[in-house]
Amino acid sequence: GQNIDQPTEMTATEGAIVQINCTYQTSGFNGLFWYQQHAGEAPTFLSYNVLDGLEEKGRFSSFLSRSKGYSYLLLKELQMKDSASYLCAVMDSNYQLIWGAGTKLIIKP
Amino acid sequence: ETGVTQTPRHLVMGMTNKKSLKCEQHLGHNAMYWYKQSAKKPLELMFVYNFKEQTENNSVPSRFSPECPNSSHLFLHLHTLQPEDSALYLCASSQEAGSYNEQFFGPGTRLTVL
């Protein structure tokens, strides 16, 4: 079967750095997405990785290792507004998104 | 209006009611999706429409009936639902299904079935 694993919840301090991991086992791979979802709001696109390596976009970076079935989202200089759920999703061989259950990130002052 | 809109934002219905959820996208996309999001569970893809044609039905019970009259509008008709159907129903759109395009989501309809 297809499976996406990510931690249920993480806590970090304002101004610090946090890394949210995602491991996957899917039938085929056509890229990995990260989305951010604030409580009661729509998921919004953060990043897309299809090749190995690190993609940096401001305070957020996303890393992919296809051989290890592994990705992480790195958030730097954390702000209170970064408190949200972070969803990892893999596009399988049928171009269908397989979603993880999301990681709820709590930022403390 | 911009992006993806959904109405209503909240809906409470009895098991014998019939109601419809509406989604509209203003992005010029050709693919639209319905997802179910339950607490602490992954998003579940329900239906996919690509150029108004249904291309995916992920074993969804017949009490959920989608309708896509054009590329900008998507409906989910609900009848004789069960309490376990209570969830957040998200609509999304993308340039085209079956490709790498990111999906843009609406804010969702929070559905409670009594």
Side-chain angles (χ1 to χ4, degrees), chain B residues 14 20 25 28 32 35 48 50 53 57-59 66 71 74 77 84 91 93 104 107 111:
Chain B
S20 296
Q25 59 96 1
M32 296 188 78
Y35 285 94
V48 181
N50 199 34
E53 296 296 320
N57 175 343
N58 275 1
S59 304
S71 292
L74 185 64
H77 303 300
E84 60 263 30
C91 173
S93 71
F104 292 79
L111 174 67

Side-chain angles (χ1 to χ4, degrees), chain B residues 18-62:
Chain B
K18 287 185 180 182
K19 296 286 184 183
S20 296
L21 310 185
K22 179 183 175 182
C23 175
E24 185 173 357
Q25 59 96 1
H26 308 267
L27 300 168
H29 289 164
N30 297 300
M32 296 188 78
Y33 311 77
W34 278 118
Y35 285 94
K36 176 183 179 182
Q37 187 175 35
S38 303
K40 300 186 179 181
K41 288 186 177 180
L43 266 69
E44 297 174 46
L45 180 64
M46 301 174 72
F47 302 104
V48 181
Y49 279 83
N50 199 34
F51 294 94
K52 298 190 297 179
E53 296 296 320
Q54 186 175 315
T55 59
E56 201 72 41
N57 175 343
N58 275 1
S59 304
V60 180
S62 59

Side-chain angles (χ1 to χ4, degrees), chain A residues 6-109:
Chain A
Q6 48 181 136
T8 304
E9 187 173 300
M10 298 182 71
T11 302
T13 305
E14 192 177 13
I17 299 173
V18 71
Q19 177 175 311
I20 303 174
N21 296 325
C22 172
T23 57
Y24 63 88
Q25 293 175 305
T26 57
S27 54
F29 180 83
N30 277 306
L32 185 143
F33 293 80
W34 283 97
Y35 279 79
Q36 180 191 59
Q37 186 177 25
H38 285 100
E41 297 184 14
T44 54
F45 170 79
L46 287 177
S47 66
Y48 170 70
N49 294 65
V50 67
L51 299 176
D52 289 351
L54 187 68
E55 296 271 348
E56 296 187 73
K57 196 185 289 187
R59 294 189 299 114
F60 293 9
S61 302
S62 55
F63 171 84
L64 175 68
S65 169
R66 288 172 297 172
S67 63
K68 295 182 179 177
Y70 168 69
S71 172
Y72 67 73
L73 182 69
L74 190 71
L75 291 74
K76 302 177 185 175
E77 301 169 17
L78 286 170
Q79 302 175 9
M80 297 304 293
K81 67 179 182 179
D82 297 328
S83 293
S85 287
Y86 292 85
L87 312 179
C88 174
V90 172
M91 189 164 273
D92 68 9
S93 56
N94 294 320
Y95 294 95
Q96 199 169 109
L97 281 177
I98 311 301
W99 295 83
T103 298
K104 182 178 180 180
L105 178 63
I106 300 168
I107 310 296
K108 295 186 175 180

